[in-house]
Amino acid sequence: MKEKLKDGLLGMEREEMPGKETLKALISVKDEEISGALMAMADEKRRKHYGKKVYLRGLIEFSNFCIRNCKYCGIRGKNTNADRYRLSKDEIIECCKRGYEAGYRTFVLQSGEDRYYDDQIMVVIIEAIKTNFPDAAVTLSIGEKSEESYRAYYEAGADRYLLRHETASPELYDEVHEGMHLESRLECLDRLKKIGYQIGAGFMVGLPGQTDDDLAEDLLLLTKMQPHMIGIGPFIPHSDTPFRHFTKGDLDKTVKMLALARLMVPKALIPATTALGTADSHGRELGLMAGANVLMPNLSPTEVRGKYVLYDNKLCTGEESASEKESIRKRIESAGYELDMSRGDHIEWRKKQ
Ligand code: 5AD
């Protein structure tokens, strides 16, 4: 059995993509030697394409209102305990200004699906950021929209869009996302890519009901889609959601999935996520050592930081905050990498004019 898996690893080293059965076996086996070999191979791959660089993105969580009811998420519309807030355009610009002065050249605008920010308002916000900070990239992470909306944001200057597919299993997807369908999600990603955005897909590890077969499908979907960015983190329960009694996703398995994602989509930009850092105090370093090359510190105003709670105990003070750049730098260097404050675009992307 193990010999067969080692053959699979050797194949991957030669850039032969493993089939589903090999992937499933690699995902389910609990073996330090195999996990270590996967991490080392992933690290070599990231160094080949991106060197030791770790790019920083300033994350601005500008609204936690949401019309969706994802069963895992703390800001789901039906959670009446969530303390809701919205940032104005001026408040968002103020966050960017602080970030820009600290050297940030990517701003990620993330929110729940909040209809308050219609296309016109979003366009004004994006244009204001681009006018004030023309050399910074704007990434949006605001959910499912029409082609027309995606186009309007792109024309206003948005460069990238994060929309995790969450899980590649259509049954599991429909089960955990009340009233939503995987097909529409994938259509959105397709639209975004066609318009010209750098797109980010990704999934959670350890969702209630998720199998290793599903995780193998997540990797195969990524290989097919070839997203520019891939976000992977462990599921972590939130006490005001239907999934409050489930256990969090396994750290080692999440790290292994990161390594496999790096091997399957070698040139992707992959963050060591906040969820990984929340699951374990060394989670993000492990992520970096398994092929991740992006960190997304929080640039939101301190007063609202504790309110964007997707899962329990989400890190929201200290080192993941963008103002703590020196401690972020130390963390990156202690893992053997170097901080890079440039825009950090995908190596094969140019904006369509
Ligand atoms: N645990 C882990 N990740 C979560 N997300 C939302 N809720 C949780 C949770 N309970 C992730 C989703 C979403 C991203 C912004 O945060 O994958 O796409």
Side-chain angles (χ1 to χ4, degrees):
M1 168 68 181
K2 201 161 156 182
E3 287 315 308
K4 233 178 129 193
L5 284 182
K6 283 190 176 161
D7 283 349
L9 290 181
L10 285 175
M12 279 172 111
E13 224 156 23
R14 292 191 300 267
E15 308 225 344
E16 290 162 16
M17 289 304 159
K20 181 154 168 198
E21 288 314 309
T22 308
L23 282 177
K24 239 166 95 176
L26 286 170
I27 293 165
S28 54
V29 69
K30 280 198 175 193
D31 183 292
E32 275 183 28
E33 203 187 333
I34 302 265
S35 299
L38 279 172
M39 268 178 91
M41 283 166 59
D43 185 51
E44 198 185 306
K45 197 66 79 191
R46 76 72 78 70
R47 283 174 196 258
K48 179 174 160 195
H49 296 296
Y50 288 99
K52 291 197 278 186
K53 290 175 182 169
V54 175
Y55 300 105
L56 290 201
R57 320 296 196 199
L59 178 63
I60 303 166
E61 297 160 333
F62 67 94
S63 162
N64 67 353
F65 280 84
C66 194
I67 56 162
R68 305 290 187 183
N69 279 294
C70 311
K71 289 184 187 162
Y72 47 80
C73 184
I75 64 167
R76 65 202 304 270
K78 286 184 194 162
N79 178 13
T80 49
N81 290 332
D83 187 359
R84 309 281 171 178
Y85 71 92
R86 287 185 177 113
L87 298 186
S88 67
K89 182 192 91 184
D90 290 347
E91 287 170 315
I92 296 172
I93 294 292
E94 193 47 43
C95 295
C96 296
K97 185 162 177 281
R98 268 191 299 112
Y100 194 88
E101 280 161 6
Y104 285 80
R105 292 297 177 270
T106 292
F107 301 116
V108 181
L109 300 188
Q110 188 173 84
S111 69
E113 288 202 21
D114 181 359
R115 296 290 185 253
Y116 170 86
Y117 299 85
D118 60 17
D119 288 354
Q120 213 182 338
I121 300 183
M122 280 316 299
V123 163
V124 168
I125 294 172
I126 297 162
E127 284 178 349
I129 299 177
K130 282 290 181 172
T131 309
N132 283 289
F133 317 104
D135 57 336
V138 169
T139 305
L140 300 177
S141 177
I142 57 177
E144 295 186 21
K145 308 273 176 184
S146 67
E147 167 144 20
E148 194 189 347
S149 303
Y150 286 152
R151 225 172 256 291
Y153 311 150
Y154 191 77
E155 280 160 16
D159 305 278
R160 311 180 187 139
Y161 206 105
L162 305 177
L163 188 73
R164 289 190 183 176
H165 66 274
E166 312 294 0
T167 171
S169 156
E171 296 79 26
L172 181 61
Y173 187 97
D174 289 14
E175 165 61 31
V176 304
H177 302 100
E178 282 176 24
M180 297 174 80
H181 301 289
L182 180 60
E183 210 187 327
S184 324
R185 196 78 170 176
L186 299 181
E187 272 168 22
C188 284
L189 281 156
D190 211 41
R191 254 175 228 154
L192 289 161
K193 198 176 200 185
K194 282 205 190 100
I195 292 171
Y197 285 96
Q198 295 172 66
I199 60 163
F203 55 91
M204 280 169 281
V205 178
L207 271 177
Q210 187 182 48
T211 62
D212 291 339
D213 193 283
D214 297 336
L215 288 171
E217 289 290 351
D218 280 312
L219 293 171
L220 293 171
L221 176 64
L222 292 178
T223 315
K224 198 164 122 217
M225 189 191 307
Q226 291 292 315
H228 306 83
M229 303 168 284
I230 302 175
I232 299 174
F235 157 74
I236 302 175
H238 184 290
S239 51
D240 295 317
T241 64
F243 285 173
R244 65 180 142 278
H245 296 307
F246 289 97
T247 46
K248 68 175 179 191
D250 183 77
L251 177 76
D252 293 335
K253 190 175 264 191
T254 308
V255 172
K256 195 155 66 172
M257 292 306 293
L258 276 172
L260 284 164
R262 167 62 66 202
L263 292 167
M264 304 286 284
V265 191
K267 294 176 190 162
L269 289 151
I270 304 180
T273 53
T274 308
L276 197 60
T278 302
D280 186 281
S281 59
H282 295 294
R284 278 171 299 183
E285 284 87 336
L286 279 173
L288 293 177
M289 290 158 74
N293 60 343
V294 169
L295 287 174
M296 299 173 64
N298 201 314
L299 272 182
S300 312
T302 359
E303 315 84 76
V304 303
R305 239 178 245 172
K307 298 183 185 174
Y308 201 85
V309 196
L310 306 183
Y311 42 81
D312 290 339
N313 305 315
K314 177 169 169 261
L315 293 179
C316 69
T317 54
E319 280 178 30
E320 77 302 329
S321 100
S323 51
E324 303 289 328
K325 224 176 79 198
E326 280 324 300
S327 57
I328 295 168
R329 186 194 298 279
K330 281 202 196 108
R331 227 173 230 273
I332 292 171
E333 289 175 358
S334 75
Y337 304 97
E338 38 188 67
L339 175 66
D340 188 299
M341 293 304 288
S342 66
R343 270 175 60 120
D345 286 298
H346 185 273
I347 41 185
E348 285 166 355
W349 180 84
R350 291 284 168 280
K351 185 147 187 163
K352 284 189 202 160
Q353 294 306 325

